[in-house]
Every structure is written in structure tokens, then in C-alpha cells.
Amino acid sequence: TLESQVRLAQLLASGGAAAAGDSHAYYLANQRFHAVIVEAAGSRHIADAYAGVAKRLALYRIGRPAPRADLAASLGEHARIRD
């Protein structure tokens, strides 16, 4: 939807966390980015599957800050997804 596209664009525009190397802020924005996509899919099955994966990833990421280059690469991937 147009609303989803606008929300994704806003999240990408706030990519300063990646540039600053702020893993925690980027992780939170990343969660919101993916939540918008899952919500736009409108499928309870996809939402349930994503929730399980997100929970496992959160456990992995605790205490493991991502290198700035990884954050920048991720931000670029997200821009391509949005486009």
C-alpha cells in the first residue's frame, strides 16, 4: 500500500544510526522496517513465522554489536527491497 511505502521510506531516511555505527538504534529501526513489510503482507501465517524468526535473531544479537560496514550494507539492502 501507499501507506506502507511511505513508512518504509521514512525508516530508510532515518538511516543515520547505520552511518553512526549505532547497532542498537539500527536494530530497532530494522525491526520496524520488517514489521511494516509483514503487516503489509496481511497474512497471519507470515506474521507468525516472522515473529518466531525475529525472536531467535534477537537472542543472537544480544550483546553483539554489528560493525558499521554491516549496518551500511543492510541499509543498502533495505533500500533495494523498498524500491
Side-chain angles (χ1 to χ4, degrees):
T1 67
L2 180 58
E3 179 185 340
S4 295
Q5 291 174 350
V6 168
R7 289 171 60 199
L8 291 175
Q10 289 170 335
L11 286 166
L12 287 172
S14 65
D22 186 342
S23 292
H24 182 70
Y26 186 78
Y27 174 70
L28 296 175
N30 183 55
Q31 284 183 312
R32 290 191 300 273
F33 181 88
H34 288 276
V36 169
I37 294 171
V38 168
E39 182 183 313
S43 168
R44 185 78 237 143
H45 296 292
I46 291 173
D48 290 344
Y50 175 72
V53 169
K55 186 182 291 187
R56 285 191 291 280
L57 284 172
L59 292 173
Y60 172 76
R61 289 181 174 144
I62 292 173
R64 292 180 181 90
R68 186 175 294 183
D70 290 353
L71 299 179
S74 177
L75 187 62
E77 291 167 1
H78 287 103
R80 288 189 297 279
I81 289 169
R82 183 217 45 215
D83 295 342

